[in-house]
Amino acid sequence: MSPTASLGGPQLGCGLTERERGPANESETKINTEELLEQAQGLVLDPGLPAHQSISDWLSGIIAGGLLPAGSKLPAERQFAQSMGVSRMTLRQALDTLLQEGRIVRAVGSRGGSFVAEPRVPVDISNLMGLSAQLLKSVHSASSRVLSAETIPADRAVAEALRMSVGSPVHRIHRLRFAASTPVVLEETFLPAELFPGLPERDLTGSIYAVMGEDYGLAPFSSVEELNPAVAGEENAGHLEIGPATAVLGIKRTGLARDGRPVEYSEDLVRTDRLKIVVSGRVGASSD
C-alpha cells in the first residue's frame, strides 16, 4: 500500500513487485476496472498531502505491483473521480503525474482513454556494451532496421565531431531500433570512410560496434554524450510511430578509440515513454 493513502477494504494497491510478493495465481494478482472502482470508493486520502498526490501514489503502487497489467484501461475520468469523491480536475492532476512518470499513456478518439503503459526499459548510455544487449535484459527481443547506408561528404557538424575537413567522405548509417516490436530509437551514425572502407556493404542489422571492433579493430573505447530535449517532427515521428509534437530525448555521441581518435559520431532520438535513460559512473581516487 502506498504510504500516502489507505483502503477500507482489501489492500490491493500495496506497491510490491511480483518478486517481492512471491508466486501467485494469475487471478490473485490482477484486478479489472470494476474492482478498481470498488477500491477507489474505499480510498482514504492522506490529509497531509494534496489529494492528487495521494491518488497518483496509490495508482502508482497498484501499477508497480502488477495488479493492472500493461494495456489495462483506467475507468472513465468522470466515473473514476466520483468513486473517490474528488473533482475531475484533481483526478486529472493525478493522471498527469502518472503520464509524466511514464506509468500511463493516453489515447484519443472513440477508443481513447488512459491506459497502463508498458514498463520503460532501462538503458545506460554510459555503457558501451550496445543497445541491443541492454534491451535484451528486459525484453524478449531487440532488433534493428537499416533505413539507409551510404557514403556522403561530411557537413560542418559531423566534420567537427570527427576532427576532419568539411566535405571528407563519411559513412552515414540510418537505423531504427526496436524493443520487441516497438520502435524506440532512431539513429543517424557517421563513421570516417577512410577508417572503415566498405562498411555500408556489411550486415548492419546487428551491433555496429561489433563490426567496428572485429572487422576494423576500431571499436569505441570511450564516448562523450550530449543530451537535449527535442520534438519528434513529422518525418521522425513516422519512423518512431508517435505524434509529430511528441517530446523525445536527443543524444549526440562521439565515440573515441583507445588512442583518443574519434571514430563515430551519432545523433539519436529516443522515445522516453518506452526507454528509461540512466547514466552510471565511478568516483575516482580523491587527491585530498
Side-chain angles (χ1 to χ4, degrees):
M1 171 69 63
S2 163
T4 60
S6 62
L7 295 172
Q11 297 186 1
L12 292 178
C14 59
L16 296 179
T17 65
E18 288 301 315
R19 179 173 297 178
E20 291 168 327
R21 290 174 181 275
N25 294 330
E26 189 76 12
S27 61
E28 295 175 341
T29 59
K30 309 297 178 188
I31 58 176
N32 57 32
T33 300
E34 290 73 20
E35 291 168 329
L36 182 61
L37 285 171
E38 290 177 6
Q39 292 297 309
Q41 291 174 359
L43 181 65
V44 178
L45 303 179
D46 186 339
L49 291 174
H52 69 86
Q53 184 175 338
S54 287
I55 295 169
S56 64
D57 286 350
W58 170 65
L59 283 171
S60 181
I62 289 178
I63 294 171
L67 298 173
L68 284 173
S72 297
K73 185 176 182 179
L74 298 183
E77 288 185 7
R78 187 180 303 278
Q79 184 183 19
F80 207 9
Q82 289 176 348
S83 70
M84 288 182 278
V86 299
S87 69
R88 190 172 177 182
M89 180 178 295
T90 296
L91 175 62
R92 176 55 72 97
Q93 286 181 287
L95 296 180
D96 284 345
T97 297
L98 296 178
L99 183 68
Q100 293 169 4
E101 293 175 350
R103 296 194 181 275
I104 66 170
V105 294
R106 286 196 178 117
V108 298
S110 59
R111 297 186 179 181
S114 296
F115 298 82
V116 176
E118 294 283 347
R120 292 195 300 163
V121 179
V123 172
D124 186 349
I125 62 172
S126 58
N127 190 327
L128 294 178
M129 69 182 295
L131 178 62
S132 293
Q134 294 196 58
L135 292 177
L136 287 172
K137 292 181 178 181
S138 303
V139 297
H140 60 80
S141 66
S143 59
S144 303
R145 179 191 301 163
V146 178
L147 303 178
S148 65
E150 58 185 343
T151 303
I152 63 172
D155 63 18
R156 184 169 300 280
V158 172
E160 288 180 358
L162 294 176
R163 301 178 198 165
M164 57 172 48
S165 301
V166 174
S168 298
V170 293
H171 301 315
R172 174 184 177 268
I173 314 300
H174 200 203
R175 301 196 303 173
L176 188 59
R177 311 298 297 276
F178 293 83
S181 60
T182 302
V184 291
V185 180
L186 185 62
E187 295 179 340
E188 189 173 24
T189 302
F190 301 89
L191 307 170
E194 183 180 8
L195 298 180
F196 301 97
L199 186 137
E201 288 73 46
R202 298 180 183 271
D203 180 5
L204 301 175
T205 58
S207 169
I208 290 182
Y209 282 3
V211 174
M212 294 168 67
E214 295 170 7
D215 296 350
Y216 299 93
L218 285 173
F221 177 74
S222 63
S223 66
V224 178
E225 320 264 353
E226 178 184 332
L227 281 63
N228 293 293
V231 174
E234 288 286 350
E235 182 178 353
N236 297 327
H239 291 306
L240 290 170
E241 299 179 7
I242 54 179
T246 301
V248 294
L249 179 64
I251 302 178
K252 295 181 180 180
R253 178 178 59 257
T254 302
L256 306 174
R258 188 177 292 272
D259 61 6
R261 283 182 297 168
V263 293
E264 172 220 16
Y265 173 68
S266 68
E267 296 183 354
D268 303 341
L269 292 179
V270 179
R271 284 185 58 173
T272 52
D273 63 326
R274 289 292 179 263
L275 298 185
K276 178 169 61 177
I277 303 301
V278 297
V279 179
S280 62
R282 293 182 299 174
V283 177
S286 174
S287 58
D288 294 341

